[in-house]
Amino acid sequence: MSSDTQDKQQANAQTQRNEEERQTLLAQILEPDARERLGRIALVKGELARGVEDMLIRMARMNQIRKKVTEDELKDMLEDISTKNRQETKIIVSRKEFDDSDDEEEYDF
C-alpha cells in the first residue's frame, strides 16, 4: 500500500473514532426524545444540528449541564438560537411607471 492510502485510512479511522465519541457523549447528555428530535433536525438542517451538538458538548465539558437535557429544554435552546439568527426579511417592490392615457377616459355604459 502507498503511504497516501495509509494516511487516508488513518484519517478516516480517526474521523470515525471522533464521531463515535461525539455520539456517545451526546447520548450521555441528551434524553432519548431530545436525541431523536436533534436527529430529525439533522436530516433537514444538518448545519444547525451540528452547531447545537457542538454547543451541548462544549457546555457538558465546562460542567454547565448537570442533568440530561430534555426535549423541552432542547426546543427552548433551538428557539433561542433561531431568534438570534433570524434576519428580518424586507421585500421592496419596484414598479415601472408608464403613461396610460386610458386612465383618464370616462366610460359611459
Side-chain angles (χ1 to χ4, degrees), residues 22-23 25-31 34-39 41 48-71 73-78 81:
R22 180 184 186 86
Q23 293 305 318
L25 190 54
L26 287 170
Q28 293 171 357
I29 296 171
L30 297 170
E31 285 189 354
R35 192 166 177 215
E36 184 179 329
R37 178 174 289 272
L38 193 55
I41 292 169
L48 173 65
R50 189 71 174 192
V52 171
E53 289 174 355
D54 290 342
M55 183 177 67
L56 288 167
I57 290 171
R58 202 170 34 253
M59 289 171 68
R61 288 185 175 153
M62 296 173 69
N63 293 325
Q64 293 178 340
I65 298 177
R66 305 263 186 252
K67 60 181 179 72
K68 285 191 171 195
V69 176
T70 65
E71 185 176 9
E73 291 169 336
L74 181 64
K75 285 181 192 178
D76 291 340
M77 293 172 98
L78 290 166
I81 290 170

Side-chain angles (χ1 to χ4, degrees):
M1 264 193 235
S2 68
S3 84
D4 285 341
T5 306
Q6 285 179 333
D7 290 344
K8 287 180 184 178
Q9 286 178 345
Q10 287 176 349
N12 287 341
Q14 181 64 36
T15 303
Q16 187 175 357
R17 281 192 301 273
N18 289 345
E19 191 59 33
E20 287 173 4
E21 180 182 327
R22 180 184 186 86
Q23 293 305 318
T24 302
L25 190 54
L26 287 170
Q28 293 171 357
I29 296 171
L30 297 170
E31 285 189 354
D33 291 343
R35 192 166 177 215
E36 184 179 329
R37 178 174 289 272
L38 193 55
R40 287 192 308 263
I41 292 169
L43 293 174
V44 179
K45 295 184 177 186
E47 192 173 299
L48 173 65
R50 189 71 174 192
V52 171
E53 289 174 355
D54 290 342
M55 183 177 67
L56 288 167
I57 290 171
R58 202 170 34 253
M59 289 171 68
R61 288 185 175 153
M62 296 173 69
N63 293 325
Q64 293 178 340
I65 298 177
R66 305 263 186 252
K67 60 181 179 72
K68 285 191 171 195
V69 176
T70 65
E71 185 176 9
D72 290 334
E73 291 169 336
L74 181 64
K75 285 181 192 178
D76 291 340
M77 293 172 98
L78 290 166
E79 190 174 320
D80 289 344
I81 290 170
S82 69
T83 56
K84 287 179 185 174
N85 293 339
R86 185 174 293 150
Q87 296 176 349
E88 186 176 320
T89 303
K90 187 175 183 180
I91 299 173
I92 299 174
V93 178
S94 176
R95 293 196 169 97
K96 293 182 181 179
E97 293 184 25
F98 61 95
D99 185 27
D100 189 9
S101 61
D102 291 343
D103 288 345
E104 298 173 12
E105 294 180 13
E106 271 187 44
Y107 295 103
D108 288 329
F109 294 104

